[in-house]
Amino acid sequence: MTVKKSFIIRFVVFVVGLFVMGLGVALTKTGGLGVSPVSSIPNIMSIKFPVLTIGNWLIIANCCLILGQVLVLRRDFKIWQLLQIPLSFLFGYFTDFGMWICSFIPSGIYWIQVLDVIFGTAVLAFGVFMMVQANLIMNSGEAFVKAVSEKSPLEFSTLKIIFDVTFVATSILLSLIFFKGKVLGTREGTIFAAVMVGVFVKLYTRVYKKIKAKKNPAPEYKAVFADLDRTLLNSDRTISDFTKETIEKLLAKGIDFVPCSGRSIRSFPEELFSVKGIKHSVSSNGVSVDDMQKRESLEYLVLPESIPAKVLDFLKDEDIYYECFINGQGYTEKKYYDDPLAFDEVTFPVDYVKTTRLAADSMVSFVLEHKAEIGSLEVIVHPKDCDRILSSLKEKFPEVYITKSERFLMEISNINCGKHHGLERYCRMMGIEPAQVIAFGDGPNDTEMLQAAGLGIAVGNAFDECKKIAARVVETNNEDGVAKEIIRIFGL
């Protein structure tokens, strides 16, 4: 399936999902026992000021939330996020159309009202499920919560609860003001919707996965992902002629081979570019999906602007060095550049650091100066401190992606990064499913990728945590494990 065709299908699914959501809101409103939290304020406004429909009020509320995103994110607000505006209008119109469809339902009969709420919530959740599967753009409510989470220390899930509770509380307060102490529009149905939408979405997702599994029990593999260091590359960080020839045979069969590394594309070994036919890569632990032919990024994610300063402050008392990547170029502390073996037990090759990094006199100053451009921020620590600092960082900053690629190296990037997310973004671009991907890896930063792929394989020299989640373990990197397994799977 072409990228264009895949996008058209996802767009149709998204719009249909938007319509189903509008119908769900209409059903719950018709029931008269309360609507979902995010619709509660528009609902009470439509009761007080019926000159505007609930769809009209939903449009107003969503546009206010979009404005809120602009005010919160400021320079981090992307122009494409304005697509939420026409989608908000469409959702409002769909809701009003749903109200017309539901106009035949009798009112005032409690058991019918209860059925309305249950069925309406199930329909609303199905619309949410369809939009999640389409994976094009977030609705304005969740996008606003995500924007706030990027600029605050609170995680998304906590803020979502606060957001929903605030909407419901505000609708109750407005009702008390508008209707002389009476609570209208917020009842048991609101609580039911708040709890059950997520339950229904999870149920639909499980059923969908089971149907897909039965329909495609043995997926036809379309791509092979492979980590580089200690997986595809030998211990001397080169690719054997046997592996090169195997990759070229694989590519000749029409199977894409995708290097997927913690390295930036600028630090890939040059001989990798000499392998004929490699078109794509995922680099910097999922920060970038690349065009290997042009050696440039197709999609590059950056950290929220507020994160670097918060991390620097949080770790100010630790004995560490920093590195960062901007558009694939690595920058490191001059002290570390001059002596990469400064930390005990750290044996990362000196030539790798000196050939892939540029030195800055003060990385703290450099990071703060370029905080809006950073793809990943790396923390270099003594191996004995790594797990402790990693745990504290993950607890403090749940709104970003943090992984460990070496015993002394942690990488902090956008929440949508990680090799597994890079694999998923590649699949969306190519119009294939993750189930159609085979992935090879060895390290902690590969485990999620192996789980996301249709078939996850660890090389014999992999970390134990990687071996435990792999479907199988093959020969080591020095024994051309990746190439030999490719030959076995594809019969090359």
Side-chain angles (χ1 to χ4, degrees):
M1 186 185 296
T2 65
V3 177
K4 183 177 180 180
K5 185 177 179 181
S6 172
F7 175 80
I8 291 173
I9 292 173
R10 286 163 51 211
F11 180 77
V12 170
V13 171
F14 183 88
V15 173
V16 173
L18 204 61
F19 169 76
V20 173
M21 279 185 64
L23 181 59
V25 172
L27 279 165
T28 54
K29 179 172 174 59
T30 301
L33 297 181
V35 295
S36 64
V38 74
S39 303
S40 57
I41 294 178
N43 183 40
I44 196 66
M45 296 301 289
S46 69
I47 296 172
K48 176 61 178 176
F49 304 105
V51 65
L52 295 179
T53 65
I54 186 171
N56 297 149
W57 284 111
L58 280 167
I59 292 170
I60 294 171
N62 284 325
C63 287
C64 288
L65 290 170
I66 296 167
L67 177 61
Q69 294 170 51
V70 174
L71 295 175
V72 170
L73 293 175
R74 300 187 182 184
R75 288 190 300 172
D76 290 335
F77 186 85
K78 308 300 182 185
I79 191 69
W80 60 263
Q81 291 174 280
L82 292 176
L83 287 172
Q84 294 174 69
I85 296 175
L87 293 175
S88 296
F89 276 82
L90 200 58
F91 180 54
Y93 296 147
F94 282 158
T95 302
D96 284 343
F97 183 64
M99 291 297 297
W100 177 78
I101 293 175
C102 298
S103 59
F104 72 91
I105 299 175
S107 59
I109 305 173
Y110 188 73
W111 69 268
I112 293 180
Q113 291 177 291
V114 171
L115 288 178
D116 271 346
V117 169
I118 295 173
F119 185 58
T121 301
V123 170
L124 174 62
F126 190 70
V128 173
F129 162 76
M130 292 182 72
M131 293 175 69
V132 169
Q133 294 303 314
N135 197 20
L136 287 179
I137 190 170
M138 299 176 75
N139 64 56
S140 57
E142 291 192 344
F144 175 78
V145 175
K146 184 175 183 294
V148 175
S149 71
E150 289 179 1
K151 298 295 183 178
S152 76
L154 296 178
E155 59 183 287
F156 179 89
S157 58
T158 301
L159 285 167
K160 183 66 170 69
I161 294 171
I162 294 172
F163 175 82
D164 288 346
V165 171
T166 300
F167 256 56
V168 172
T170 302
S171 66
I172 293 173
L173 179 61
L174 289 173
S175 179
L176 293 172
I177 295 171
F178 291 156
F179 302 105
K180 299 180 180 179
K182 295 181 180 179
V183 176
L184 301 180
T186 304
R187 290 180 54 180
E188 57 268 40
T190 303
I191 298 173
F192 181 82
V195 174
M196 293 304 296
V197 166
V199 174
F200 278 125
V201 171
K202 289 181 180 178
L203 175 63
Y204 297 143
T205 303
R206 283 201 298 269
V207 172
Y208 176 65
K209 287 182 177 179
K210 287 182 180 179
I211 292 173
K212 282 181 64 178
K214 288 182 180 179
K215 187 177 179 181
N216 302 298
E220 180 184 355
Y221 294 117
K222 300 289 188 181
V224 173
F225 272 57
D227 170 53
L228 294 183
D229 295 288
R230 297 183 306 273
T231 301
L232 187 72
L233 305 184
N234 297 331
S235 294
D236 60 2
R237 298 180 185 272
T238 61
I239 307 173
S240 72
D241 290 338
F242 174 72
T243 294
K244 288 181 186 178
E245 291 169 5
T246 302
I247 293 172
E248 288 176 353
K249 290 178 183 178
L250 179 73
L251 293 164
K253 286 179 64 73
I255 310 298
D256 210 357
F257 183 82
V258 184
C260 186
S261 176
R263 297 186 184 211
S264 74
I265 191 171
R266 296 191 185 191
S267 60
F268 280 12
E270 191 60 33
E271 60 182 328
L272 193 61
F273 295 98
S274 68
V275 179
K276 297 176 182 178
I278 297 181
K279 299 177 182 177
H280 305 98
S281 66
V282 173
S283 57
S284 298
N285 275 322
V287 169
S288 181
V289 179
D290 314 301
D291 182 325
M292 281 283 284
Q293 305 292 322
K294 296 180 180 179
R295 303 195 187 197
E296 62 183 33
S297 178
L298 295 171
E299 183 180 77
Y300 194 87
L301 303 181
V302 297
L303 274 168
E305 186 176 345
S306 63
I307 293 298
K310 291 180 180 179
V311 171
L312 295 178
D313 182 65
F314 182 68
L315 298 178
K316 63 180 182 296
D317 296 326
E318 298 286 355
D319 183 16
I320 56 179
Y321 288 143
Y322 290 106
E323 292 186 329
C324 72
F325 281 86
I326 298 174
N327 293 322
Q329 177 60 59
Y331 298 86
T332 191
E333 195 93 37
K334 189 175 186 306
K335 283 177 62 179
Y336 181 67
Y337 181 87
D338 291 340
D339 184 12
L341 306 182
F343 284 165
D344 294 340
E345 302 179 54
V346 175
T347 57
F348 212 59
V350 173
D351 62 333
Y352 175 76
V353 174
K354 291 187 177 293
T355 56
T356 62
R357 306 293 196 265
L358 297 178
D361 289 332
S362 170
M363 275 302 295
V364 170
S365 299
F366 184 86
V367 167
L368 292 176
E369 181 181 350
H370 297 276
K371 59 184 179 181
E373 309 166 65
I374 294 175
S376 65
L377 178 63
E378 300 189 349
V379 183
I380 301 168
V381 303
H382 289 283
K384 62 182 176 61
D385 297 325
C386 190
D387 288 341
R388 172 182 61 81
I389 294 176
L390 178 65
S391 177
S392 64
L393 280 170
K394 286 186 173 182
E395 182 178 352
K396 180 66 176 178
F397 301 102
E399 69 273 28
V400 295
Y401 178 75
I402 305 174
T403 190
K404 179 178 75 172
S405 54
E406 298 281 351
R407 294 179 300 112
F408 59 90
L409 181 65
M410 290 165 284
E411 301 177 42
I412 305 170
S413 52
N414 188 290
I415 191 65
N416 294 311
C417 293
K419 292 185 180 182
H420 57 308
H421 283 313
L423 183 151
E424 291 165 355
R425 282 152 51 207
Y426 162 85
C427 287
R428 288 198 295 271
M429 289 181 182
M430 301 306 295
I432 66 174
E433 296 292 329
Q436 296 175 297
V437 175
I438 298 172
F440 292 88
D442 79 291
N445 61 330
D446 295 320
T447 55
E448 293 163 317
M449 175 179 70
L450 300 194
Q451 291 173 315
L455 178 60
I457 301 170
V459 288
N461 53 289
F463 283 65
D464 287 341
E465 58 198 282
C466 197
K467 290 180 179 178
K468 286 178 182 177
I469 61 92
R472 55 179 171 265
V473 179
V474 297
E475 294 91 340
T476 68
N477 63 325
N478 289 325
E479 297 169 322
D480 296 312
V482 173
K484 290 177 181 177
E485 186 65 9
I486 288 174
I487 290 173
R488 286 190 284 262
I489 292 173
F490 294 98
L492 301 180

